[in-house]
Amino acid sequence: MADEWQEAYEFAVEVARKAGMVIKQEIDKEMKVLTKSSTVDLVTKTDERVEKIIIGSLKTKFGEKAHKFIGEESTEKGCELTDAPTWIIDPVDGTTNFVHGFPFVAVSIAFAVKKELEFGVVYSCLEDKMYRARNGKGAFCNDEPISVSDVKDITKSIIISEHGTDRTPAKVEKIFSTMQKILCIPVHGLRGSGTAATNMCLVATGAVEAFFEIGIHCWDVAAGAVIVREAGGIVLDVSGGPFDLMSRRMLSANHEDIAKRIIKEIEVFEVPRDDGVKHLQQPSSF
Ligand code: LIP
């Protein structure tokens, strides 16, 4: 049977690379910075321009109506993931980094069919690292196979957590209290690149053992979820339940031992879902 999504997978890599070239051209130029959900949730004309290039290329290739699109900069309010073939796009993941010239900015493109993630592409464009993965076909960085770390002892791990763009004191307190508890397990270190997609690729390459965050969006993590899983890792809800792409909560890890130990320390707080549906607690898989 013809593999109907292989062409889309290969095309997504081409489009991600083209989008990354635009980011690289623009990062050193003067730019107008606007804000979204808070004074520190930044957006630039490049975010919007790159998303238009990506979606325009995909519509030209696959038709205006055949596929659906969920893009960070074209999603006003809640977004719904349907059974239709759907592209889930973050044109500039790490916008704050982009504005400041901090060298971690990624293009993240994922593709879902019947609500199942089929493939993901993350182009860390300033590093020129093209991460990609397709269900059942492995994960790669610049066409070299990648796999998660084999460390199971959390005291020998590096963990990534991000503080996000919400500055509500009660949430910030939970975020840093969680970080403090994890740091003092102890772990070897806490890190964060400032882009969820890149953080997940760092889990997939074994550079770190886990990355978790509450407050990310579906477009930040959809592609990285496929890449982590195909690299041999796991992607869960921060409570240990099944990963829910629209929940804005995610824990990716190399192994369940690491995931279980982190889950014990996470102080969970509520955030509105991407699809606007009330968060239903799922049973933990541990
Ligand atoms: C970013 C995420 C990151 C989060 C930042 C921001 P953006 O996405 O990738 O994990 O901590 O607050 O949301 O907004 O740069 O596309």
Side-chain angles (χ1 to χ4, degrees):
M1 185 176 84
D3 179 352
E4 64 177 323
W5 302 126
Q6 185 59 24
E7 184 190 19
Y9 179 38
E10 291 167 4
F11 188 69
V13 171
E14 280 178 46
V15 172
R17 194 177 300 281
K18 184 168 78 170
M21 298 306 287
V22 174
I23 293 169
K24 284 196 271 194
Q25 286 159 9
E26 295 300 322
I27 191 165
D28 293 329
K29 294 179 183 171
E30 276 298 305
M31 59 183 80
K32 189 161 185 283
V33 182
L34 303 170
T35 59
K36 298 192 292 189
S37 63
S38 76
T39 58
V40 296
D41 184 8
L42 311 181
V43 62
T44 71
K45 286 294 176 204
T46 299
D47 295 73
E48 293 161 355
R49 178 181 165 213
V50 170
E51 184 162 307
K52 285 194 174 83
I53 291 170
I54 294 169
I55 293 179
S57 302
L58 294 169
K59 283 185 173 178
T60 302
K61 179 83 175 171
F62 300 107
E64 284 279 335
K65 300 268 186 277
H67 294 179
K68 297 250 185 248
F69 298 88
I70 296 175
E72 177 172 10
E73 307 315 338
S74 45
T75 298
E76 288 301 312
K77 294 188 280 301
C79 50
E80 187 196 3
L81 183 60
T82 67
D83 285 348
T86 304
W87 297 90
I88 304 163
I89 299 158
D90 189 340
V92 181
D93 189 37
T95 298
T96 302
N97 292 351
F98 174 69
V99 168
H100 287 266
F102 188 74
F104 296 98
V105 183
V107 179
S108 182
I109 300 174
F111 186 65
V113 182
K114 294 189 173 63
K115 299 189 177 79
E116 291 297 322
L117 291 168
E118 177 62 37
F119 60 72
V121 175
V122 173
Y123 182 41
S124 178
C125 55
L126 303 179
E127 298 179 280
D128 193 24
K129 289 185 175 179
M130 181 67 76
Y131 299 93
R132 61 181 175 83
R134 184 164 176 215
N135 271 352
K137 296 184 183 288
F140 303 87
C141 177
N142 292 347
D143 295 331
E144 290 297 320
I146 55 177
S147 58
V148 296
S149 157
D150 58 7
V151 169
K152 296 182 183 59
D153 177 352
I154 196 157
T155 66
K156 305 283 187 299
S157 73
I158 292 181
I159 307 298
I160 294 183
S161 176
E162 298 274 358
H163 50 63
T165 50
D166 192 319
R167 295 293 185 268
T168 310
K171 290 182 181 173
V172 171
E173 192 178 331
K174 283 180 180 284
I175 290 169
F176 282 96
S177 170
T178 297
M179 286 185 184
Q180 181 181 357
K181 289 190 291 183
I182 290 173
L183 186 62
C184 298
I185 288 175
V187 298
H188 277 179
L190 292 180
R191 298 289 187 275
S193 72
T195 132
T198 303
N199 290 336
M200 294 180 86
C201 291
L202 290 168
V203 174
T205 63
V208 301
E209 276 66 44
F211 161 54
F212 69 94
E213 187 169 353
I214 300 173
I216 38 88
H217 291 279
C218 59
W219 46 76
D220 293 318
V221 298
V226 187
I227 294 168
V228 167
R229 286 173 173 152
E230 285 300 312
I234 53 177
V235 183
L236 300 168
D237 179 69
V238 292
S239 63
F243 173 52
D244 174 347
L245 180 61
M246 309 309 269
S247 68
R248 297 188 59 202
R249 317 165 11 144
M250 184 281 310
L251 164 62
S252 51
N254 66 321
H255 191 273
E256 66 173 15
D257 291 354
I258 298 282
K260 274 182 195 171
R261 187 61 188 84
I262 292 172
I263 286 162
K264 282 184 186 164
E265 310 300 351
I266 298 177
E267 295 183 30
V268 178
F269 53 89
E270 287 303 313
V271 289
R273 291 172 57 90
D274 276 329
D275 57 7
V277 171
K278 184 150 177 44
H279 185 75
L280 304 174
Q281 189 65 36
Q282 299 286 334
S284 169
S285 44
F286 296 123

